[in-house]
Coordinates of all heavy atoms in Angstrom, one line a residue:
K1 N 49.9 0.2 110.6 CA 48.6 0.9 110.5 C 48.7 2.4 110.1 O 47.7 3.1 109.9 CB 47.8 0.8 111.8 CG 47.4 -0.6 112.3 CD 46.7 -0.6 113.6 CE 46.3 -2.0 114.0 NZ 45.5 -2.0 115.2
N2 N 49.9 2.8 109.9 CA 50.2 4.2 109.5 C 49.5 5.2 110.4 O 48.8 6.2 110.0 CB 49.6 4.5 108.0 CG 50.5 3.8 107.0 OD1 51.6 3.3 107.4 ND2 50.1 3.8 105.8
T3 N 49.6 4.9 111.7 CA 48.9 5.7 112.7 C 49.9 6.1 113.9 O 50.7 5.3 114.3 CB 47.7 4.9 113.3 OG1 46.8 4.6 112.2 CG2 47.0 5.7 114.3
V4 N 49.8 7.3 114.3 CA 50.5 7.8 115.5 C 49.5 8.1 116.6 O 48.4 8.5 116.3 CB 51.4 9.0 115.2 CG1 50.6 10.2 114.7 CG2 52.3 9.3 116.4
Y5 N 49.8 7.8 117.8 CA 48.9 7.9 118.9 C 49.5 8.8 120.0 O 50.8 9.0 120.1 CB 48.7 6.6 119.6 CG 48.1 5.5 118.7 CD1 49.0 4.7 117.9 CD2 46.8 5.3 118.4 CE1 48.5 3.7 117.1 CE2 46.3 4.4 117.6 CZ 47.2 3.6 116.9 OH 46.7 2.6 116.1
L6 N 48.6 9.4 120.8 CA 49.1 10.2 122.0 C 48.2 9.7 123.1 O 47.0 10.0 123.2 CB 49.0 11.7 121.8 CG 49.5 12.5 122.9 CD1 51.0 12.4 123.0 CD2 49.1 14.0 122.7
Q7 N 48.8 8.9 124.0 CA 48.1 8.5 125.2 C 48.3 9.6 126.3 O 49.4 9.9 126.7 CB 48.6 7.2 125.7 CG 48.0 6.7 127.0 CD 46.5 6.3 126.9 OE1 46.2 5.7 125.9 NE2 45.7 6.8 127.8
M8 N 47.2 10.1 126.8 CA 47.2 11.3 127.7 C 46.5 10.8 129.0 O 45.3 10.5 129.0 CB 46.5 12.5 127.2 CG 47.0 12.9 125.7 SD 46.2 14.4 125.2 CE 44.5 13.9 125.0
N9 N 47.3 10.8 130.1 CA 46.8 10.4 131.4 C 47.0 11.6 132.3 O 47.6 12.6 132.1 CB 47.6 9.2 131.9 CG 47.5 8.0 131.1 OD1 46.5 7.8 130.4 ND2 48.6 7.2 131.0
S10 N 46.2 11.5 133.5 CA 46.3 12.5 134.5 C 46.1 13.9 133.9 O 46.8 14.9 134.2 CB 47.6 12.5 135.2 OG 47.9 11.2 135.8
L11 N 45.1 14.0 133.1 CA 44.8 15.3 132.4 C 44.4 16.4 133.3 O 43.8 16.2 134.4 CB 43.7 15.1 131.4 CG 44.2 14.3 130.1 CD1 43.0 13.8 129.3 CD2 44.9 15.3 129.2
K12 N 44.9 17.6 133.0 CA 44.7 18.8 133.7 C 43.9 19.8 132.9 O 43.9 19.8 131.7 CB 46.0 19.4 134.1 CG 46.9 18.5 134.9 CD 48.3 19.1 135.1 CE 49.3 18.2 135.9 NZ 50.6 18.8 136.1
P13 N 43.2 20.8 133.6 CA 42.5 21.8 132.8 C 43.4 22.5 131.8 O 42.9 22.9 130.7 CB 42.0 22.7 133.9 CG 41.8 21.8 135.1 CD 42.9 20.8 135.0
E14 N 44.7 22.7 132.1 CA 45.6 23.4 131.3 C 46.0 22.6 130.1 O 46.7 23.1 129.1 CB 46.9 23.9 132.0 CG 47.5 22.8 132.8 CD 47.1 22.8 134.3 OE1 45.9 22.9 134.6 OE2 48.0 22.6 135.2
D15 N 45.6 21.3 130.0 CA 45.8 20.6 128.8 C 44.7 20.8 127.7 O 44.8 20.3 126.6 CB 45.8 19.1 129.1 CG 46.9 18.7 129.9 OD1 48.1 19.1 129.7 OD2 46.7 17.9 130.9
T16 N 43.7 21.6 128.1 CA 42.6 22.0 127.1 C 43.2 22.7 125.9 O 43.9 23.7 126.1 CB 41.6 22.8 127.8 OG1 40.9 22.0 128.8 CG2 40.5 23.3 126.8
A17 N 42.9 22.2 124.7 CA 43.5 22.8 123.5 C 43.0 21.9 122.3 O 42.4 20.9 122.5 CB 45.0 22.7 123.5
V18 N 43.2 22.5 121.1 CA 43.1 21.7 119.9 C 44.4 21.0 119.7 O 45.5 21.7 119.7 CB 42.7 22.6 118.7 CG1 42.6 21.7 117.5 CG2 41.3 23.3 119.0
Y19 N 44.4 19.7 119.5 CA 45.6 18.9 119.3 C 45.7 18.6 117.8 O 44.8 18.1 117.2 CB 45.5 17.7 120.1 CG 45.8 17.9 121.6 CD1 44.9 18.6 122.3 CD2 47.0 17.5 122.2 CE1 45.1 18.9 123.7 CE2 47.3 17.8 123.5 CZ 46.3 18.5 124.3 OH 46.6 18.7 125.6
Y20 N 46.9 18.9 117.3 CA 47.2 18.6 115.9 C 48.3 17.6 115.7 O 49.3 17.6 116.4 CB 47.7 19.9 115.2 CG 46.7 21.1 115.2 CD1 46.6 21.9 116.3 CD2 45.8 21.2 114.2 CE1 45.7 23.0 116.3 CE2 44.8 22.2 114.2 CZ 44.8 23.1 115.3 OH 43.9 24.2 115.2
C21 N 48.2 16.8 114.6 CA 49.2 15.8 114.2 C 50.0 16.5 113.1 O 49.5 17.2 112.3 CB 48.4 14.6 113.7 SG 49.4 13.3 113.0
Q22 N 51.4 16.2 113.2 CA 52.2 16.7 112.1 C 53.2 15.7 111.6 O 53.7 14.9 112.4 CB 53.1 17.9 112.7 CG 54.0 18.5 111.7 CD 55.3 19.1 112.4 OE1 56.1 18.4 112.8 NE2 55.3 20.4 112.4
A23 N 53.3 15.6 110.3 CA 54.3 14.7 109.7 C 55.5 15.6 109.2 O 55.2 16.6 108.6 CB 53.7 13.9 108.6
N24 N 56.7 15.1 109.4 CA 57.8 16.0 109.0 C 58.9 15.1 108.4 O 59.5 14.2 109.0 CB 58.4 16.7 110.3 CG 59.5 17.6 110.0 OD1 59.9 17.8 108.9 ND2 60.0 18.2 111.1
R25 N 59.2 15.4 107.2 CA 60.4 14.9 106.5 C 60.7 15.8 105.4 O 60.2 15.6 104.2 CB 60.2 13.5 106.0 CG 61.5 12.9 105.5 CD 61.3 11.6 104.7 NE 62.5 11.1 104.1 CZ 62.6 10.2 103.1 NH1 61.5 9.7 102.7 NH2 63.7 9.8 102.7

């Protein structure tokens, strides 16, 4: 599917942010 995922559990207030995906090669 050409997709990467981030499953986030037990979230905390300090996890508040803008989340970015990066491809690297």
Side-chain angles (χ1 to χ4, degrees):
K1 294 183 178 180
N2 289 352
T3 302
V4 62
Y5 303 91
L6 185 68
Q7 177 66 43
M8 307 187 294
N9 299 330
S10 302
L11 283 161
K12 304 175 181 180
E14 51 263 44
D15 295 318
T16 295
V18 178
Y19 284 70
Y20 297 91
C21 173
Q22 182 207 69
N24 184 0
R25 184 192 179 199

